[in-house]
Amino acid sequence: MPEMNTSSLPDLIFTILFFFMMVTTMREVTLIVKFDKPTGTQLEKLARKSCTSFIYIGQPTEAMRAQVGSGTRIQLNDKYAEPSEVYDYVSAERNELAEVDKPFFTVSLKADHNTPMGIMTDVKQVLRKAYALKIVYSANKPRE
Protein backbone atom coordinates (compact mmCIF):
# COMPACT_ATOMS: atom_id res chain seq x y z
CA MET A 1 0.00 0.00 0.00
CA PRO A 2 1.58 3.32 -1.04
CA GLU A 3 1.87 6.15 1.51
CA MET A 4 -0.13 9.33 1.14
CA ASN A 5 1.80 12.28 -0.27
CA THR A 6 1.60 15.22 2.19
CA SER A 7 4.12 17.54 0.54
CA SER A 8 1.44 20.02 -0.57
CA LEU A 9 -0.25 20.16 2.86
CA PRO A 10 1.75 23.20 4.16
CA ASP A 11 0.83 25.14 1.00
CA LEU A 12 -2.82 24.38 1.58
CA ILE A 13 -2.65 25.43 5.24
CA PHE A 14 -0.94 28.74 4.41
CA THR A 15 -3.46 29.44 1.65
CA ILE A 16 -6.36 28.96 4.05
CA LEU A 17 -4.62 31.05 6.71
CA PHE A 18 -3.97 33.84 4.20
CA PHE A 19 -7.62 33.74 3.08
CA PHE A 20 -8.90 34.18 6.64
CA MET A 21 -6.41 36.97 7.32
CA MET A 22 -7.68 38.85 4.27
CA VAL A 23 -11.43 38.54 4.92
CA THR A 24 -11.42 39.07 8.69
CA THR A 25 -11.70 42.58 10.08
CA MET A 26 -10.58 43.54 13.55
CA ARG A 27 -13.31 45.60 15.17
CA GLU A 28 -12.17 47.92 17.90
CA VAL A 29 -15.28 49.86 18.92
CA THR A 30 -18.78 50.27 17.51
CA LEU A 31 -19.48 53.98 17.65
CA ILE A 32 -22.76 54.90 19.34
CA VAL A 33 -21.98 58.62 19.42
CA LYS A 34 -21.50 60.98 16.50
CA PHE A 35 -18.59 63.35 16.61
CA ASP A 36 -17.18 65.82 14.16
CA LYS A 37 -13.60 66.35 15.22
CA PRO A 38 -12.36 69.93 15.41
CA THR A 39 -9.61 71.13 13.10
CA GLY A 40 -6.12 71.90 14.25
CA THR A 41 -2.83 73.13 12.87
CA GLN A 42 -0.18 71.60 15.16
CA LEU A 43 -1.11 67.93 14.64
CA GLU A 44 1.02 64.84 15.29
CA LYS A 45 0.31 61.15 14.89
CA LEU A 46 0.18 58.89 17.93
CA ALA A 47 3.50 57.18 18.52
CA ARG A 48 2.20 54.11 20.40
CA LYS A 49 -1.41 53.43 19.54
CA SER A 50 -1.31 50.16 21.49
CA CYS A 51 -0.78 52.13 24.72
CA THR A 52 -3.67 54.49 24.00
CA SER A 53 -7.17 54.32 25.42
CA PHE A 54 -9.98 56.13 23.59
CA ILE A 55 -12.89 58.08 25.09
CA TYR A 56 -15.58 59.23 22.65
CA ILE A 57 -17.78 62.23 23.48
CA GLY A 58 -20.65 63.41 21.30
CA GLN A 59 -24.33 63.21 20.44
CA PRO A 60 -25.99 59.77 20.31
CA THR A 61 -26.38 58.26 16.85
CA GLU A 62 -29.81 58.30 15.24
CA ALA A 63 -30.39 54.63 16.15
CA MET A 64 -29.55 55.20 19.82
CA ARG A 65 -31.29 58.57 20.20
CA ALA A 66 -34.71 56.90 20.65
CA GLN A 67 -33.36 54.88 23.59
CA VAL A 68 -31.25 57.46 25.41
CA GLY A 69 -32.59 60.78 24.18
CA SER A 70 -30.52 63.68 22.96
CA GLY A 71 -27.68 65.39 24.74
CA THR A 72 -23.96 64.86 24.84
CA ARG A 73 -22.88 61.38 25.91
CA ILE A 74 -19.59 59.72 26.84
CA GLN A 75 -18.77 56.38 25.23
CA LEU A 76 -16.35 53.92 26.83
CA ASN A 77 -15.79 50.85 24.66
CA ASP A 78 -19.30 49.92 23.44
CA LYS A 79 -21.49 51.55 26.09
CA TYR A 80 -22.52 54.94 27.40
CA ALA A 81 -20.97 56.09 30.65
CA GLU A 82 -21.06 58.90 33.17
CA PRO A 83 -17.94 60.95 33.95
CA SER A 84 -17.56 59.12 37.27
CA GLU A 85 -17.19 55.77 35.42
CA VAL A 86 -14.13 57.01 33.54
CA TYR A 87 -11.92 56.37 36.60
CA ASP A 88 -12.62 52.62 36.64
CA TYR A 89 -12.29 52.41 32.85
CA VAL A 90 -8.90 54.12 32.80
CA SER A 91 -7.62 52.04 35.72
CA ALA A 92 -8.69 48.80 34.01
CA GLU A 93 -7.13 49.85 30.70
CA ARG A 94 -3.83 50.75 32.39
CA ASN A 95 -3.76 47.46 34.31
CA GLU A 96 -4.10 45.50 31.05
CA LEU A 97 -0.80 46.93 29.80
CA ALA A 98 2.56 45.34 30.40
CA GLU A 99 4.76 47.01 33.04
CA VAL A 100 7.13 48.41 30.41
CA ASP A 101 4.23 50.06 28.53
CA LYS A 102 2.55 51.69 31.55
CA PRO A 103 4.69 54.87 31.42
CA PHE A 104 3.48 55.39 27.83
CA PHE A 105 -0.23 55.08 28.68
CA THR A 106 -2.16 57.85 26.93
CA VAL A 107 -5.85 58.78 26.87
CA SER A 108 -7.20 60.06 23.56
CA LEU A 109 -10.32 62.21 23.74
CA LYS A 110 -12.32 62.04 20.52
CA ALA A 111 -14.91 64.73 21.09
CA ASP A 112 -17.35 66.58 18.88
CA HIS A 113 -16.36 70.19 18.22
CA ASN A 114 -19.68 71.33 19.78
CA THR A 115 -19.16 69.44 23.05
CA PRO A 116 -19.84 71.64 26.08
CA MET A 117 -16.70 72.43 28.07
CA GLY A 118 -18.44 71.32 31.28
CA ILE A 119 -18.39 67.69 30.16
CA MET A 120 -14.80 67.97 28.95
CA THR A 121 -13.80 69.47 32.31
CA ASP A 122 -15.60 66.71 34.21
CA VAL A 123 -13.78 64.03 32.20
CA LYS A 124 -10.42 65.77 32.63
CA GLN A 125 -10.95 66.05 36.40
CA VAL A 126 -11.65 62.31 36.64
CA LEU A 127 -8.59 61.58 34.49
CA ARG A 128 -6.51 63.69 36.85
CA LYS A 129 -7.79 61.66 39.83
CA ALA A 130 -6.99 58.43 37.97
CA TYR A 131 -3.47 59.79 37.39
CA ALA A 132 -3.92 59.60 33.61
CA LEU A 133 -2.04 62.79 32.86
CA LYS A 134 -1.11 62.18 29.22
CA ILE A 135 -4.13 63.37 27.27
CA VAL A 136 -4.35 63.69 23.49
CA TYR A 137 -7.16 65.48 21.67
CA SER A 138 -8.09 64.09 18.27
CA ALA A 139 -8.46 66.61 15.45
CA ASN A 140 -8.54 66.84 11.67
CA LYS A 141 -6.25 68.83 9.42
CA PRO A 142 -7.88 71.99 8.06
CA ARG A 143 -9.21 71.70 4.52
CA GLU A 144 -7.42 73.72 1.92
Side-chain angles (χ1 to χ4, degrees):
M1 183 98 176
E3 292 186 26
M4 189 163 79
N5 184 4
T6 60
S7 62
S8 64
L9 192 58
D11 293 337
L12 180 63
I13 302 254
F14 284 120
T15 303
I16 292 171
L17 178 66
F18 183 72
F19 171 76
F20 283 115
M21 287 173 48
M22 293 299 295
V23 299
T24 303
T25 58
M26 301 299 284
R27 181 183 71 90
E28 290 184 19
V29 174
T30 301
L31 290 177
I32 53 177
V33 294
K34 294 185 298 187
F35 62 93
D36 184 22
K37 292 189 280 189
T39 57
T41 56
Q42 303 285 323
L43 302 179
E44 296 179 21
K45 290 210 178 251
L46 285 173
R48 289 185 155 198
K49 200 170 183 180
S50 62
C51 299
T52 304
S53 190
F54 296 94
I55 298 175
Y56 303 92
I57 304 172
Q59 298 289 324
T61 59
E62 296 297 325
M64 297 301 291
R65 190 168 294 173
Q67 296 174 3
V68 297
S70 61
T72 304
R73 300 278 188 225
I74 300 169
Q75 178 183 343
L76 304 174
N77 287 337
D78 288 335
K79 65 180 182 76
Y80 292 120
E82 295 298 320
S84 59
E85 298 174 59
V86 172
Y87 183 89
D88 294 331
Y89 171 74
V90 169
S91 298
E93 290 284 314
R94 185 185 296 125
N95 289 337
E96 288 180 9
L97 294 175
E99 279 301 317
V100 294
D101 291 334
K102 286 184 181 181
F104 302 107
F105 180 70
T106 306
V107 175
S108 176
L109 294 176
K110 291 190 172 194
D112 187 70
H113 69 282
N114 292 325
T115 299
M117 273 314 288
I119 293 175
M120 296 295 288
T121 303
D122 292 345
V123 171
K124 290 193 305 185
Q125 292 294 332
V126 173
L127 290 173
R128 186 177 295 156
K129 289 178 185 173
Y131 203 68
L133 303 178
K134 291 183 185 176
I135 301 173
V136 176
Y137 299 94
S138 296
N140 292 325
K141 291 182 180 178
R143 295 183 183 170
E144 296 177 10

